[in-house]
Amino acid sequence: MFDAKKLLDQFLGSQVPGVGGSVRDRAGEAMQTAKNNPMKSGAIAAVLLGTKTGRSIAGNALAIGGLAAIAGLGYQAYKNYQAGQAPAAPSDAPSANNPVLLPPPVDSGFGPASPAGSNEFVLVLIRAMIAAAKADGHIDGAERALIMDKIKAADVSGEAAAFIERELASPTDIDALVAAAVTEEQRVELYTASRLTIEPDSRAERGYLDLLAGRLGLADQLVDHIEATVSSAKTTLSQ
């Protein structure tokens, strides 16, 4: 079995481990990495989602980080929801001079030490992200072939490349995704990963996310917190 966490970092375009440092610092490091080696710094999500959306997603993911981004954003949204806070507006996003994310507490149910951080569940997160990328129906056979060429050029090969190719070619099995998320923290991370992958600009994408949230049994207010947290992070990172 290949290292799913490494693939997730490649999927999101992360070359900077952890979540330390300010958004401005990390974004600067990411931009330098992209200049030094554009192919390897490009996120697989960028390849999946096309030029316009892909560039935006790649830059954000480079600044946030791989599994740490999903765990950190999910934990932040879940904590605010449990505290009864109102979902943050984009204008409430942290300053670019302050850290956006902190590692979730060890006993929080989020992150590497939890069931949500297991290799098996990280594979589920990647499946969920590929499913979200396919939600608008724009990936046909020719597009899949082009995507796989670019993925292999980015040093993703062997089992990992075969896994992505199978997921791209297979119909989305939302039942399997939902069944794999056993704890509430896993359900939050699965939705967070899906939402981090795409901007729901089309009815198909918005409908897919709404269906996923409903199937996961996430409360409407919790979904609002996840949406606001991801949107705020992206707004901050684009400034």
Side-chain angles (χ1 to χ4, degrees):
M1 174 59 67
F2 60 88
D3 186 343
K5 294 177 185 178
K6 179 180 178 182
L7 179 60
L8 181 59
D9 282 340
Q10 290 173 295
F11 196 94
L12 284 172
S14 174
Q15 300 292 321
V16 185
V19 294
S22 70
V23 170
R24 181 171 296 166
D25 291 342
R26 292 176 60 75
E29 292 169 4
M31 289 174 64
Q32 188 60 48
T33 300
K35 289 178 182 177
N36 293 341
N37 198 336
M39 191 64 238
K40 288 189 178 180
S41 67
I44 295 174
V47 177
L48 287 172
L49 294 168
T51 305
K52 178 177 178 294
T53 305
R55 278 201 300 265
S56 173
I57 293 295
N60 292 336
L62 278 163
I64 295 173
L67 180 59
I70 297 170
L73 291 169
Y75 170 72
Q76 184 176 314
Y78 190 60
K79 180 182 67 173
N80 292 342
Y81 163 71
Q82 287 192 314
Q85 298 180 14
S91 59
D92 297 330
S95 164
N97 292 319
N98 298 320
V100 169
L101 296 174
L102 294 174
V106 175
D107 60 351
S108 67
F110 292 86
S114 71
S118 70
N119 197 70
E120 291 77 11
F121 190 70
V122 174
L123 282 178
V124 174
L125 293 179
I126 297 172
R127 286 191 177 102
M129 297 170 81
I130 293 174
K134 295 192 297 184
D136 66 356
H138 82 278
I139 301 178
D140 57 17
E143 185 71 10
R144 284 200 304 272
L146 179 60
I147 288 168
M148 291 312 302
D149 284 344
K150 292 182 179 180
I151 286 172
K152 289 170 184 174
D155 286 347
V156 179
S157 59
E159 285 186 80
F163 168 79
I164 295 173
E165 191 165 20
R166 284 195 305 272
E167 291 301 314
L168 285 171
S170 302
T172 296
D173 188 347
I174 197 168
D175 291 334
L177 293 176
V178 170
V182 177
T183 67
E184 187 162 24
E185 292 83 4
Q186 287 178 323
R187 291 190 283 272
V188 168
E189 288 200 17
L190 195 151
Y191 185 85
T192 301
S194 302
R195 177 61 181 84
L196 185 61
T197 307
I198 59 174
E199 286 299 314
D201 295 328
S202 70
R203 287 188 177 183
E205 289 168 324
R206 182 71 265 168
Y208 175 77
L209 289 175
D210 289 344
L211 174 63
L212 180 63
R215 294 294 303 278
L216 289 169
L218 299 178
D220 289 347
Q221 286 185 319
L222 177 53
V223 172
D224 290 344
H225 273 284
I226 297 171
E227 292 278 344
T229 302
V230 172
S231 294
S232 293
K234 288 185 176 182
T235 299
T236 302
L237 290 166
S238 65
Q239 290 174 349

